[in-house]
Amino acid sequence: MTGIPATPPGPGVRVALLLAGTAASRAGLAVAYRLAGEPAGGRWQRTNYAGRALTLLGGPVLAAAATGTAVAGAPAGTRLAAAVVGTVAGLVGGYDDVVGARPEQARDKGLAGHLRALRAGRVSAGAVKVAGIGAAAAVAALLTRDPRAPLTVALGDAVLTTGLVAGTANLVNLLDLRPGRAAKTTVLAAAATLGGPAGGLVAGPLGAALGVLPDDLGERLMLGDCGANAAGALLGLRLAVGPESGRGRRWALLAGITGLTLASERVSFTRVIEATPGLREVDRLGRRRA
C-alpha cells in the first residue's frame, strides 16, 4: 500500500479528530431534526421494530461526519480512497433507504431478493447499492495500490481491498437491525484499529459514531443503509491499508466477513445475539425497553 507514513499521527491529533467527528455529527443532527419536521423529511420517516416512529436522517449525518473526518485523518495516499468509499457508500445507501422502501421493492431484500428481482427483469435499489459500493471499493483498491509490487501480489491486494471495503460496508449494515447496534460496532471496531500508521483514518468516524449513538439508542433516529454502509466502508478501508496487518491476517478477516455475510442469508443475527451471554448484554446496553 502507498502513502502510509513511517510514524502515525500523535495522540493529540487523533483526539482532535475524534472530537471533530463528534461535533460534526451533533451539529448535523440539529439540522436533521429540523428537516425531519418539514414535508421533505417525510420520505425519511420510518417505524422501527418496536413500532416507534423515527427518522432515517441520522444516516446522512453519520456518513457526512465520518467521511469528512476520515479524509482529514487518513494518510496522504489514502485520502482520496476514503473520500470515494465514504461518499459513494453513503449515497447509494441513501438511495436504497428511500427507493428500497417503496412497496414494489418490499421483497427485494438480501442477496436472494436482489437476484429474484434481476431474474424478473427489475433492478432493485439494493442491487444498485451493491454495484455502487463494489465499484467504489475497486476504485479504492486502485488508488491505494503499490506500483512497485509484482503483478500477482498487486492483484491479490486489489482483491483484499475490494473485498474488505465492500464486505465490511455490508456487514455493518446487516447489524443495523436494533437501536445502537451498528453504531456500537463502528465504535468498537474503530477503537480497536485506532493505533498504527493508518489509525487516523478511523479517529474521526469513531467520534462521529459516538455523536449519534445516544440518539440511536434513544430511538430518535435510525442509521439506515446510508449511515451503516458509509461507516462500514471506511472501517473496511482501514482494515485493508494498515501495514501492521499482514496479508495473511487480511485474508482471514475477509474470509470471516464473507462467512458472516453468507450466514446472514439463513441465520438471524438478532436471534444469535439474544441467545449469547455477553453479546446480549452489550447489545442491550443503553437501549430503551421495547
Side-chain angles (χ1 to χ4, degrees):
M1 299 299 172
T2 62
I4 306 297
T7 57
V13 174
R14 299 185 193 218
V15 170
L17 288 165
L18 187 152
L19 293 175
T22 303
S25 61
R26 295 309 302 176
L29 288 180
V31 175
Y33 288 135
R34 287 199 297 271
L35 291 176
E38 301 292 331
R43 69 177 62 186
W44 296 89
Q45 293 297 119
R46 294 291 183 275
T47 301
N48 73 354
Y49 81 109
R52 297 186 178 105
L54 66 175
T55 182
L56 276 171
L57 287 171
V61 168
L62 176 60
T67 301
T69 52
V71 172
T78 64
R79 286 173 188 159
L80 183 55
V84 169
V85 300
T87 301
V88 173
L91 287 174
V92 295
Y95 175 81
D96 194 19
D97 283 332
V98 175
V99 176
R102 294 173 181 173
E104 66 270 20
Q105 301 216 21
R107 295 180 64 248
D108 300 339
K109 302 300 180 184
L111 293 174
H114 303 327
L115 291 173
R116 280 196 304 269
L118 288 173
R119 285 196 295 267
R122 295 183 295 104
V123 178
S124 67
V128 172
K129 182 184 72 173
V130 169
I133 293 175
V139 169
L142 182 64
L143 291 170
T144 58
R145 75 191 188 284
D146 184 353
R148 301 164 298 179
L151 179 60
T152 54
V153 173
L155 288 173
D157 285 344
V159 171
L160 278 171
T161 299
T162 302
L164 285 170
V165 171
T168 308
N170 184 60
L171 183 59
V172 174
N173 186 45
L174 289 174
L175 292 170
D176 189 35
L177 294 176
R178 289 294 184 272
R181 186 179 292 170
K184 286 177 183 175
T185 300
T186 300
V187 167
L188 292 173
T193 56
L194 195 58
L201 195 157
V202 291
L206 169 59
L210 286 170
V212 300
L213 182 58
D215 295 62
D216 192 2
L217 288 168
E219 299 183 44
R220 293 182 289 278
L221 59 80
M222 294 173 67
L223 301 183
D225 291 17
C226 179
N229 282 146
L234 293 167
L235 290 172
L237 182 63
R238 170 65 184 93
L239 295 175
V241 302
E244 71 279 4
S245 298
R247 288 188 177 88
R249 183 180 177 187
R250 281 180 276 157
W251 278 114
L253 285 169
L254 181 56
I257 290 167
T258 302
L260 287 170
T261 300
L262 293 174
S264 72
E265 293 291 309
R266 296 184 176 275
V267 178
S268 166
F269 284 177
T270 295
R271 192 172 300 168
V272 171
I273 290 169
E274 284 294 319
T276 307
L279 283 179
R280 178 176 59 241
E281 286 71 27
V282 171
D283 188 50
R284 293 179 180 178
L285 185 64
R287 187 187 301 164
R288 292 173 61 179
R289 293 184 180 274

